Amino acid sequence: PKPKPGKLRKTFRWAWRLTYLSAIGLVGFTAYNIYDDRHPDEQYEPDPNKKTLVILGTGWGSVALLKKLDTENYNVVVVSPRNYFLFTPLLPSCTTGTIEHRSIMEPVRAILRGKKAAAKFYEAEATSIDPDRKVVRIADNSEIKGATSETEIPYDMLVVGVGAENATFGIPGVREHSCFLKEIGDAQQIRKKIMDCVETAAFKGQTPEEIDRLMHMVVVGGGPTGVEFAGELQDFFEEDIKKLVPDISPRFKVTLIEALPNVLPMFSKTLIDYTENTLREEKIDIKTKTMVKRVTDKAVEAEVSRPDGTKERVEIPYGLLVWATGNAVRPIIKDLTTKIAAQKDSRRGLAVNEYLVVQGTRDIWAVGDCAVAGYAPTAQVASQEGTFLGKLFNNMAKTENHEARIQELSSKLNIESGNSAEAAQEIELLERQLKKIRDVKPFKYSHQGSLAYIGSEKAVADVSWWNGNLATGGSLTYLFWRSAYLSMCFSTRNRVLVIVDWLKSKAFGRDVSRE
Ligand code: FAD
Ligand code: NAI
């Protein structure tokens, strides 16, 4: 007789079957999603008598709103100079080619095509908002111009989700000589410049001082943008550049400059220490308590605070300079705050109430980095705010529909007496539903945690865990970081492309050709 399989072997068999079935399920689910995205249902044109809802921007806040919004309730018009949504958490990976930039972009027209009712999109910049006349002035600032490149859009309801621009604090030379890291174009420019510095340093007869300067990559700002970029850059060097340009590679150096006493101030002390130690192990030079005061085409001038309280001026030559010192308010927002009396003291953006209504207005809402709601300017906050507004607007539309129906039934009730019992019953039901719909709680942000990549396949995470907090860092956290961001990608298409890019750069190395 055949011997009975051992317990361990049985368990192993079941585990194998389960993995096999999960893999088939995952492939089937992905295939279904891809098919579904490519074959959306027929769209219908919304009723022109409905209210016009204008949404400015196609970033985290506005796109989360669009995702949740039942577009059949409004005439939706989206305006943004960018005809795509950008998944910013993976933008630092695009600077070195770990991920190709198109993998983290999602065309806004594809997003709108997935909605039940059609919505309009204009690739344009909103240049001013007139809250009295309820119009937005828009301009097409793209390269190709038509006969009309400026016009006005009237609105009944307006959502401002234009994000923020890069802060330079008026420091001379920053705009002229450094690269920012906020948009796809910035990442492409950095990728080009890294290789330009390396190839120029490798040029025949280059002087040793010039090689040192060109191979010196300086990052200003020790927030998560600066830290993640520095980590990605050092990985690029260790895994690719070092092998391809061995003769000058010992001269490659990454320096991270931060004005405060430590990097990543939003993380816990343990994780700050862990990050700084890891960056040092990676040979990244961290210069804290160092504030950049001036930038020239080849060097930054900074003021270093010494432990004895004295200050020293230093000059740091660079080949590539990346400026990541946080956010500043966009001109359109500054302009709007001057037009609303209640916003005259707003310096950091549009002050909003707990329903994200811009204070001093009744029909303008603001989300994300341009809104001041008491939260940090993060994608997490912006997307939760957008989702909240989507639900709020769906509720508002439902309320209006219910109220109109109740009015219609009530007037019938007064005129006829035939179906009065049925009508009264329906009114009662609608009123009960209305009570629930109207009971919208104010916006409350739920913090899921902070994550940051710090290089050499390590990440740090400060995440909410049950009722407490979990602070962790290392290679396992890196796997968590990857799976968290993968699950947050906008579409199945983005997810597949990002996985392919990760595999590609691991198998073949990053592409160092300069476009
Ligand atoms: P954005 O996403 O910046 O979108 C603004 C939109 O408005 C854009 O479509 C823009 O084109 C458009 N716009 C601009 N001007 C106008 C105008 N005049 N008229 C009309 N439209 C206009 N946050 C996290 O929580 N986790 C992370 O891991 C993370 N990583 C990041 C990495 C990087 C490199 C960067 C730069 C930021 C990161 N953030 C992260 C922060 C996060 O990206 C922002 O907080 C978030 O993008 C804010 O969303 P938003 O909708 O307010 O603005
Ligand atoms: P930040 O505002 O978080 O950090 C900027 C840093 O630059 C500060 O620490 C500041 O002290 C420093 N700085 C300012 N001026 C300086 C000067 N002249 N010289 C030297 N240092 C100077 O900006 P960041 O990193 O761009 O992030 C912006 C927002 O996006 C933040 O809210 C952040 O939380 C979020 N974000 C989150 C990420 C994540 O969760 N992984 C990744 C990237 C951004």
Side-chain angles (χ1 to χ4, degrees):
K2 238 168 119 184
K4 276 191 179 174
K7 226 179 180 178
L8 196 71
R9 206 188 293 169
K10 258 189 185 170
T11 318
F12 180 73
R13 237 185 242 167
W14 272 109
W16 167 243
R17 276 180 202 151
L18 219 68
T19 317
Y20 185 68
L21 284 176
S22 317
I24 292 181
L26 192 70
V27 170
F29 180 70
T30 309
Y32 169 76
N33 276 327
I34 293 172
Y35 179 85
D36 199 40
D37 286 349
R38 288 282 286 149
H39 302 87
D41 295 337
E42 270 305 304
Q43 268 186 326
Y44 61 84
E45 287 301 318
D47 176 357
N49 298 319
K50 298 232 157 155
K51 284 185 176 165
T52 301
L53 167 61
V54 175
I55 301 170
L56 304 183
T58 48
W60 278 95
S62 304
V63 164
L65 157 64
L66 275 171
K67 225 174 167 180
K68 197 84 209 164
L69 187 72
D70 296 334
T71 45
E72 55 274 33
N73 293 325
Y74 300 96
N75 282 297
V76 180
V77 181
V78 182
V79 177
S80 176
R82 204 168 81 182
N83 78 345
Y84 56 88
F85 164 74
L86 174 63
F87 187 76
T88 46
L90 291 178
L91 190 61
S93 304
C94 294
T95 58
T96 56
T98 311
I99 289 177
E100 292 299 333
H101 61 275
R102 287 196 176 268
S103 306
I104 56 166
M105 294 158 72
E106 185 68 16
V108 74
R109 293 205 178 268
I111 299 172
L112 294 179
R113 183 60 192 86
K115 304 301 294 183
K116 251 192 196 165
K120 286 203 166 61
F121 172 71
Y122 298 120
E123 192 192 70
E125 201 178 319
T127 49
S128 74
I129 297 164
D130 186 335
D132 299 324
R133 288 174 51 231
K134 294 177 72 165
V135 292
V136 180
R137 189 143 197 92
I138 65 165
D140 173 7
N141 291 331
S142 64
E143 261 172 49
I144 295 178
K145 299 261 185 320
T148 310
S149 57
E150 252 191 84
T151 187
E152 281 184 349
I153 305 179
Y155 67 82
D156 295 302
M157 297 154 78
L158 174 69
V159 177
V160 188
V162 298
E165 57 177 35
N166 296 293
T168 64
F169 307 103
I171 296 171
V174 174
R175 286 210 183 274
E176 296 84 329
H177 306 299
S178 54
C179 299
F180 296 114
L181 183 49
K182 202 166 191 57
E183 299 290 343
I184 277 296
D186 299 335
Q188 286 172 299
Q189 193 193 10
I190 293 173
R191 189 172 173 185
K192 239 188 233 177
K193 276 201 171 179
I194 298 170
M195 282 322 292
D196 201 358
C197 283
V198 172
E199 297 296 3
T200 309
F203 190 76
K204 185 166 185 272
Q206 201 64 271
T207 62
E209 301 81 54
E210 197 61 350
I211 296 176
D212 283 340
R213 180 184 72 80
L214 289 163
M215 296 289 272
H216 190 198
M217 315 278 148
V218 172
V219 185
V220 182
T225 305
V227 167
E228 290 194 330
F229 171 66
E232 291 277 355
L233 193 53
Q234 191 66 31
D235 284 358
F236 183 29
F237 169 69
E238 291 294 339
E239 291 163 21
D240 298 289
I241 298 179
K242 213 171 169 178
K243 291 176 198 151
L244 299 170
V245 204
D247 42 337
I248 52 164
S249 69
R251 322 281 272 273
F252 187 91
K253 190 174 140 196
V254 178
T255 298
L256 180 62
I257 302 180
E258 168 56 52
L260 297 175
N262 49 260
V263 300
L264 293 185
M266 69 287 291
F267 282 82
S268 59
K269 174 84 177 77
T270 334
L271 288 185
I272 290 174
D273 291 345
Y274 178 78
T275 304
E276 290 187 351
N277 289 338
T278 308
L279 294 180
R280 285 194 182 105
E281 273 166 26
E282 287 165 10
K283 297 192 211 81
I284 294 174
D285 185 12
I286 309 174
K287 292 190 189 303
T288 49
K289 295 188 184 169
T290 306
M291 183 178 273
V292 173
K293 296 281 186 182
R294 207 166 88 90
V295 174
T296 64
D297 60 341
K298 291 186 178 146
V300 295
E301 287 173 24
E303 195 175 75
V304 186
S305 305
R306 299 285 174 216
D308 61 6
T310 57
K311 292 200 159 88
E312 189 193 339
R313 200 88 175 190
V314 295
E315 195 180 87
I316 305 164
Y318 69 84
L320 169 80
L321 175 65
V322 173
W323 192 265
T325 62
N327 293 345
V329 180
R330 284 198 191 277
I332 185 173
I333 302 295
K334 276 189 204 153
D335 179 56
L336 184 58
T337 55
T338 62
K339 292 175 182 163
I340 303 166
Q343 298 285 336
K344 74 175 187 338
D345 296 325
S346 304
R347 296 280 171 271
R348 289 181 298 117
L350 293 167
V352 293
N353 71 11
E354 69 272 33
Y355 288 92
L356 307 181
V357 178
V358 172
Q359 283 174 14
T361 71
R362 291 169 61 86
D363 36 34
I364 307 180
W365 288 259
V367 286
D369 288 2
C370 67
V372 180
Y375 306 111
T378 65
Q380 239 187 104
V381 171
S383 70
Q384 287 185 28
E385 288 177 343
T387 305
F388 170 83
L389 276 195
K391 282 188 200 155
L392 185 78
F393 293 164
N394 292 345
N395 263 7
M396 281 161 66
K398 262 191 216 156
T399 308
E400 276 178 25
N401 291 344
H402 274 49
E403 280 172 351
R405 178 75 183 140
I406 290 173
Q407 210 167 17
E408 188 189 328
L409 288 169
S410 308
S411 53
K412 260 192 199 166
L413 212 60
N414 295 337
I415 303 164
E416 315 158 5
S417 53
N419 290 335
S420 60
E422 264 175 47
Q425 238 177 0
E426 194 180 339
I427 290 176
E428 203 188 308
L429 181 75
L430 287 170
E431 272 173 349
R432 245 185 288 137
Q433 287 176 349
L434 247 180
K435 219 171 155 189
K436 265 196 208 158
I437 297 168
R438 277 200 190 119
D439 185 27
V440 184
K441 302 267 180 306
F443 174 71
K444 201 162 168 270
Y445 170 61
S446 148
H447 187 60
Q448 304 298 306
S450 306
L451 277 169
Y453 180 61
I454 57 172
S456 54
E457 305 201 338
K458 287 182 184 149
V460 285
D462 243 335
V463 287
S464 311
W465 190 257
W466 298 112
N467 285 334
N469 232 45
L470 179 71
T472 155
S475 303
L476 269 180
T477 315
Y478 167 68
L479 291 179
F480 174 65
W481 174 85
R482 275 204 162 180
S483 40
Y485 283 172
L486 202 58
S487 70
M488 280 159 59
C489 278
F490 187 86
S491 62
T492 308
R493 177 186 147 273
N494 285 152
R495 242 164 257 138
V496 172
L497 292 179
V498 167
I499 293 176
V500 170
D501 286 345
W502 278 337
L503 293 174
K504 238 169 48 184
S505 55
K506 197 80 198 159
F508 306 113
R510 297 166 183 86
D511 187 347
V512 296
S513 31
R514 197 162 69 82
E515 285 171 79

Coordinates of all heavy atoms in Angstrom, one line a residue, residues 362-412:
R362 N -19.4 81.0 -0.7 CA -20.4 80.0 -0.5 C -20.3 78.9 -1.6 O -20.8 77.8 -1.4 CB -21.8 80.6 -0.7 CG -22.2 81.5 0.4 CD -23.4 82.3 0.1 NE -24.5 81.4 -0.1 CZ -25.3 80.9 0.8 NH1 -25.1 81.3 2.1 NH2 -26.3 80.1 0.6
D363 N -19.6 79.2 -2.7 CA -19.6 78.2 -3.8 C -18.2 77.9 -4.3 O -18.0 77.4 -5.4 CB -20.4 78.8 -5.0 CG -20.3 80.3 -5.1 OD1 -19.1 80.8 -4.7 OD2 -21.2 81.0 -5.4
I364 N -17.2 78.2 -3.5 CA -15.8 77.8 -3.8 C -15.2 76.8 -2.8 O -15.3 77.1 -1.6 CB -14.9 79.0 -4.0 CG1 -15.5 80.0 -5.0 CG2 -13.5 78.5 -4.5 CD1 -14.6 81.2 -5.2
W365 N -14.7 75.7 -3.2 CA -14.1 74.7 -2.3 C -12.6 74.7 -2.6 O -12.2 74.9 -3.8 CB -14.7 73.4 -2.4 CG -16.1 73.2 -1.9 CD1 -16.5 72.7 -0.7 CD2 -17.3 73.6 -2.5 NE1 -17.8 72.7 -0.5 CE2 -18.4 73.3 -1.6 CE3 -17.6 74.3 -3.7 CZ2 -19.7 73.5 -1.9 CZ3 -19.0 74.5 -4.0 CH2 -20.0 74.2 -3.1
A366 N -11.8 74.3 -1.7 CA -10.3 74.1 -2.0 C -9.8 72.8 -1.4 O -10.3 72.4 -0.3 CB -9.5 75.2 -1.5
V367 N -9.0 72.1 -2.2 CA -8.4 70.8 -1.7 C -6.9 70.8 -1.9 O -6.4 71.5 -2.7 CB -9.0 69.6 -2.5 CG1 -10.4 69.3 -2.0 CG2 -8.9 69.8 -4.0
G368 N -6.2 70.0 -1.1 CA -4.8 69.7 -1.3 C -3.9 70.8 -0.8 O -4.2 71.6 0.1
D369 N -2.7 70.9 -1.5 CA -1.7 71.8 -1.1 C -2.0 73.2 -1.1 O -1.4 74.1 -0.5 CB -0.4 71.6 -2.0 CG 0.3 70.2 -1.7 OD1 -0.2 69.5 -0.8 OD2 1.3 69.9 -2.3
C370 N -3.1 73.6 -1.9 CA -3.4 75.0 -1.9 C -4.4 75.4 -0.9 O -4.8 76.6 -0.7 CB -3.9 75.4 -3.3 SG -5.5 74.7 -3.7
A371 N -4.9 74.4 -0.1 CA -5.9 74.7 0.9 C -5.2 74.7 2.3 O -4.3 73.8 2.6 CB -7.0 73.6 0.9
V372 N -5.7 75.5 3.2 CA -5.2 75.5 4.6 C -6.3 75.0 5.5 O -7.2 75.7 5.8 CB -4.7 76.9 5.0 CG1 -4.1 76.8 6.5 CG2 -3.7 77.4 4.1
A373 N -6.1 73.7 5.8 CA -7.2 73.0 6.6 C -6.6 72.5 7.9 O -7.2 71.8 8.7 CB -7.8 71.9 5.8
G374 N -5.3 72.8 8.1 CA -4.7 72.4 9.4 C -3.9 71.0 9.2 O -3.6 70.4 10.2
Y375 N -3.7 70.6 8.0 CA -3.0 69.3 7.8 C -1.8 69.6 6.9 O -1.6 70.6 6.2 CB -3.9 68.3 7.1 CG -5.2 68.1 7.8 CD1 -6.4 68.6 7.2 CD2 -5.3 67.5 9.0 CE1 -7.6 68.4 7.9 CE2 -6.5 67.3 9.7 CZ -7.7 67.8 9.1 OH -8.8 67.6 9.8
A376 N -0.8 68.6 6.9 CA 0.4 68.7 6.2 C 0.1 68.6 4.7 O -0.9 68.0 4.3 CB 1.3 67.5 6.5
P377 N 0.9 69.2 3.8 CA 0.6 69.2 2.4 C 1.1 67.9 1.8 O 2.2 67.8 1.2 CB 1.5 70.4 1.8 CG 2.6 70.5 2.8 CD 2.1 70.0 4.2
T378 N 0.3 66.8 2.0 CA 0.7 65.5 1.4 C -0.4 65.0 0.5 O -1.6 65.4 0.5 CB 0.9 64.5 2.5 OG1 -0.4 64.3 3.2 CG2 1.9 64.9 3.6
A379 N 0.0 64.0 -0.3 CA -1.0 63.3 -1.2 C -2.1 62.6 -0.4 O -3.3 62.6 -0.8 CB -0.2 62.3 -2.0
Q380 N -1.7 62.1 0.7 CA -2.7 61.4 1.6 C -3.8 62.4 2.0 O -5.0 62.0 1.9 CB -2.0 61.0 2.9 CG -2.1 59.5 3.1 CD -1.5 59.2 4.5 OE1 -2.2 59.0 5.4 NE2 -0.2 59.2 4.6
V381 N -3.5 63.6 2.4 CA -4.5 64.6 2.8 C -5.3 65.0 1.6 O -6.5 65.0 1.6 CB -3.8 65.8 3.5 CG1 -4.8 66.9 3.7 CG2 -3.1 65.4 4.8
A382 N -4.6 65.3 0.5 CA -5.3 65.8 -0.7 C -6.3 64.8 -1.2 O -7.4 65.2 -1.5 CB -4.2 66.2 -1.8
S383 N -5.9 63.5 -1.2 CA -6.8 62.6 -1.8 C -8.0 62.3 -0.8 O -9.1 62.1 -1.3 CB -6.1 61.3 -2.2 OG -5.7 60.6 -1.1
Q384 N -7.8 62.4 0.5 CA -8.9 62.2 1.4 C -9.9 63.4 1.3 O -11.1 63.3 1.3 CB -8.4 62.1 2.8 CG -7.8 60.7 3.1 CD -7.4 60.5 4.6 OE1 -8.0 61.1 5.5 NE2 -6.4 59.7 4.8
E385 N -9.3 64.6 1.1 CA -10.1 65.8 0.9 C -11.0 65.7 -0.4 O -12.2 66.0 -0.4 CB -9.3 67.0 0.9 CG -8.7 67.4 2.2 CD -7.8 68.6 2.2 OE1 -7.3 69.0 1.2 OE2 -7.5 69.1 3.3
G386 N -10.3 65.2 -1.5 CA -11.0 65.1 -2.7 C -12.1 64.1 -2.6 O -13.3 64.3 -3.1
T387 N -11.9 63.0 -2.0 CA -12.9 61.9 -1.8 C -14.1 62.5 -1.0 O -15.3 62.3 -1.3 CB -12.3 60.7 -1.1 OG1 -11.2 60.3 -1.9 CG2 -13.3 59.6 -1.0
F388 N -13.7 63.3 0.0 CA -14.8 63.9 0.9 C -15.7 64.8 0.0 O -16.9 64.7 0.1 CB -14.1 64.6 2.0 CG -15.1 65.5 2.8 CD1 -15.8 65.0 3.8 CD2 -15.2 66.9 2.5 CE1 -16.7 65.8 4.5 CE2 -16.1 67.6 3.2 CZ -16.9 67.1 4.2
L389 N -15.0 65.6 -0.8 CA -15.8 66.5 -1.6 C -16.7 65.8 -2.6 O -17.8 66.2 -2.9 CB -14.9 67.5 -2.4 CG -14.5 68.7 -1.6 CD1 -13.9 69.8 -2.6 CD2 -15.6 69.4 -0.8
G390 N -16.2 64.7 -3.2 CA -16.9 63.9 -4.1 C -18.2 63.4 -3.5 O -19.3 63.5 -4.0
K391 N -18.1 62.9 -2.2 CA -19.3 62.4 -1.5 C -20.2 63.5 -1.2 O -21.4 63.4 -1.3 CB -18.8 61.7 -0.2 CG -18.2 60.4 -0.3 CD -18.0 59.8 1.1 CE -17.0 58.7 1.0 NZ -16.3 58.4 2.3
L392 N -19.6 64.7 -0.8 CA -20.4 65.8 -0.4 C -21.3 66.3 -1.6 O -22.5 66.5 -1.5 CB -19.5 67.0 0.0 CG -20.2 68.2 0.6 CD1 -20.7 68.0 2.0 CD2 -19.2 69.4 0.6
F393 N -20.6 66.4 -2.8 CA -21.3 66.8 -4.0 C -22.4 65.8 -4.4 O -23.5 66.2 -4.9 CB -20.4 67.1 -5.1 CG -19.5 68.3 -4.9 CD1 -18.3 68.5 -5.6 CD2 -19.7 69.2 -3.8 CE1 -17.5 69.6 -5.4 CE2 -18.9 70.3 -3.6 CZ -17.8 70.5 -4.3
N394 N -22.1 64.5 -4.3 CA -23.1 63.5 -4.6 C -24.3 63.7 -3.7 O -25.5 63.6 -4.1 CB -22.5 62.1 -4.5 CG -21.5 61.8 -5.5 OD1 -21.3 62.5 -6.5 ND2 -20.7 60.8 -5.3
N395 N -24.0 63.9 -2.4 CA -25.1 64.1 -1.4 C -25.9 65.4 -1.7 O -27.1 65.3 -1.6 CB -24.5 64.3 0.0 CG -24.5 63.0 0.7 OD1 -24.8 62.0 0.1 ND2 -24.1 63.0 2.0
M396 N -25.2 66.4 -2.1 CA -25.9 67.7 -2.4 C -26.9 67.5 -3.6 O -28.0 68.0 -3.6 CB -24.9 68.8 -2.7 CG -24.3 69.4 -1.5 SD -22.8 70.3 -1.8 CE -23.3 71.7 -2.7
A397 N -26.4 66.8 -4.6 CA -27.3 66.5 -5.8 C -28.5 65.7 -5.4 O -29.6 65.9 -5.8 CB -26.4 65.8 -6.8
K398 N -28.2 64.6 -4.5 CA -29.3 63.8 -4.1 C -30.3 64.6 -3.3 O -31.5 64.4 -3.5 CB -28.7 62.7 -3.2 CG -28.5 61.4 -3.9 CD -28.2 60.3 -2.9 CE -27.2 59.3 -3.4 NZ -26.5 58.6 -2.4
T399 N -29.8 65.4 -2.4 CA -30.7 66.3 -1.6 C -31.6 67.1 -2.5 O -32.8 67.1 -2.3 CB -29.9 67.2 -0.7 OG1 -28.9 66.5 0.0 CG2 -30.7 68.0 0.2
E400 N -31.0 67.7 -3.5 CA -31.8 68.6 -4.4 C -32.8 67.8 -5.2 O -34.0 68.2 -5.3 CB -30.9 69.3 -5.4 CG -30.3 70.5 -4.9 CD -29.3 71.3 -5.8 OE1 -29.5 71.1 -7.0 OE2 -28.5 72.0 -5.3
N401 N -32.4 66.6 -5.6 CA -33.4 65.7 -6.4 C -34.6 65.3 -5.4 O -35.7 65.3 -5.8 CB -32.7 64.4 -6.9 CG -31.7 64.7 -8.0 OD1 -31.8 65.8 -8.5 ND2 -30.8 63.8 -8.3
H402 N -34.2 64.9 -4.2 CA -35.2 64.5 -3.2 C -36.2 65.7 -2.9 O -37.4 65.5 -2.9 CB -34.6 64.0 -1.9 CG -34.2 62.6 -2.0 ND1 -33.5 62.0 -3.0 CD2 -34.4 61.6 -1.1 CE1 -33.3 60.7 -2.8 NE2 -33.9 60.4 -1.6
E403 N -35.6 66.8 -2.7 CA -36.4 68.0 -2.4 C -37.4 68.3 -3.5 O -38.6 68.6 -3.3 CB -35.5 69.2 -2.0 CG -35.0 69.1 -0.6 CD -33.9 70.2 -0.3 OE1 -33.5 70.9 -1.3 OE2 -33.5 70.3 0.8
A404 N -36.8 68.2 -4.7 CA -37.7 68.6 -5.9 C -38.8 67.6 -6.0 O -40.0 67.9 -6.3 CB -36.8 68.5 -7.2
R405 N -38.5 66.3 -5.8 CA -39.6 65.2 -5.8 C -40.6 65.4 -4.7 O -41.8 65.3 -5.0 CB -38.9 63.9 -5.7 CG -39.8 62.7 -5.7 CD -40.3 62.3 -7.1 NE -41.3 61.2 -7.1 CZ -42.4 61.2 -7.8 NH1 -42.7 62.1 -8.6 NH2 -43.2 60.1 -7.7
I406 N -40.1 65.8 -3.5 CA -41.1 66.0 -2.4 C -42.0 67.2 -2.8 O -43.2 67.1 -2.6 CB -40.3 66.3 -1.1 CG1 -39.6 65.0 -0.6 CG2 -41.3 66.8 0.0 CD1 -38.7 65.2 0.6
Q407 N -41.4 68.2 -3.4 CA -42.2 69.4 -3.7 C -43.3 69.0 -4.8 O -44.5 69.3 -4.7 CB -41.4 70.5 -4.3 CG -41.9 71.8 -4.0 CD -40.9 72.9 -4.3 OE1 -39.9 72.6 -5.0 NE2 -41.1 74.1 -3.8
E408 N -42.8 68.2 -5.7 CA -43.8 67.8 -6.8 C -44.9 66.9 -6.2 O -46.1 67.2 -6.5 CB -42.9 66.9 -7.8 CG -43.7 66.5 -9.1 CD -42.8 65.5 -9.8 OE1 -41.6 65.5 -9.8 OE2 -43.4 64.6 -10.5
L409 N -44.6 66.0 -5.3 CA -45.6 65.1 -4.7 C -46.5 65.9 -3.8 O -47.7 65.7 -3.8 CB -44.9 64.0 -3.9 CG -44.2 62.9 -4.7 CD1 -43.4 62.0 -3.8 CD2 -45.2 62.0 -5.4
S410 N -46.0 66.9 -3.1 CA -46.8 67.7 -2.2 C -47.8 68.5 -3.0 O -49.0 68.6 -2.6 CB -45.9 68.7 -1.4 OG -44.9 68.0 -0.8
S411 N -47.4 69.1 -4.1 CA -48.3 69.9 -4.9 C -49.4 69.0 -5.4 O -50.6 69.3 -5.5 CB -47.6 70.7 -6.0 OG -46.9 69.8 -6.7
K412 N -49.0 67.7 -5.8 CA -50.0 66.8 -6.3 C -51.0 66.4 -5.2 O -52.2 66.3 -5.5 CB -49.3 65.5 -6.7 CG -49.1 65.4 -8.2 CD -48.6 64.0 -8.5 CE -47.9 63.9 -9.8 NZ -47.3 62.6 -10.0

